Amino acid sequence: MALQWMILTYVVAAEAALAFLLTLPAPKLLKNQFVSLVSLILQPALFIVPFAGFQLLDIYWKNEHRLSCTSEICTAAERDRYEKSIYKAQRNVILCASACLLYWCLVRICKYYKDIQNLEEVEKRCKEE
């Protein structure tokens, strides 16, 4: 069951690296090429949003059906295992939310760069007239 969390972790790391690289100052030609490359990557990478949503639903379902250790009969090991599972669930929720948020940020950054390119082209055409 840990494979999906490894995949999600790597995707979040890759999204964070791309967001960092997109926001670094670079020459205009290099930036335009990089933005178009990231835009091409983002189209098939949309799978991360439903994947993270499914993982969130899985966490919610497991949380609703988790055996709670609230009685005095629980041993220390059972209580520790229960708390550890709660911490893992919280970490995984943050991971899912980060994946969706970073994907949205990448899409918006690329859209803003493309809008800026379009405005610069319009400005250039107006100056030529």
Side-chain angles (χ1 to χ4, degrees):
M1 292 299 283
L3 181 62
Q4 70 262 26
W5 299 115
M6 290 279 296
I7 292 169
L8 202 57
T9 302
Y10 288 140
V11 167
V12 167
E15 286 176 341
L18 285 175
F20 177 73
L21 290 173
L22 277 174
T23 56
L24 282 178
K28 194 174 197 176
L29 182 62
L30 181 65
K31 180 70 81 171
N32 291 342
Q33 294 296 323
F34 189 64
V35 167
S36 62
L37 175 68
V38 171
S39 295
L40 289 174
I41 292 172
L42 285 177
Q43 290 172 353
L46 182 63
F47 80 92
I48 198 61
V49 175
F51 182 73
F54 176 75
Q55 296 303 322
L56 284 171
L57 286 174
D58 186 46
I59 291 169
Y60 175 75
W61 186 85
K62 286 179 182 176
N63 189 40
E64 288 295 315
H65 296 87
R66 178 178 287 132
L67 295 174
S68 62
C69 191
T70 56
S71 66
E72 296 178 10
I73 307 170
C74 294
T75 64
E78 289 174 338
R79 196 171 297 117
D80 288 343
R81 188 174 71 231
Y82 175 75
E83 289 177 2
K84 186 178 177 183
S85 71
I86 294 293
Y87 292 138
K88 279 185 178 181
Q90 291 171 347
R91 178 200 61 200
N92 292 339
V93 166
I94 291 171
L95 193 62
C96 289
S98 299
C100 293
L101 181 67
L102 280 170
Y103 181 82
W104 180 79
C105 287
L106 284 173
V107 169
R108 297 308 299 173
I109 289 170
C110 287
K111 183 187 179 312
Y112 289 144
Y113 277 121
K114 287 183 177 183
D115 288 346
I116 289 171
Q117 286 174 354
N118 290 339
L119 289 173
E120 287 174 349
E121 289 173 7
V122 168
E123 182 186 21
K124 185 187 280 186
R125 274 187 258 134
C126 287
K127 283 184 179 180
E128 290 175 355
E129 292 178 359

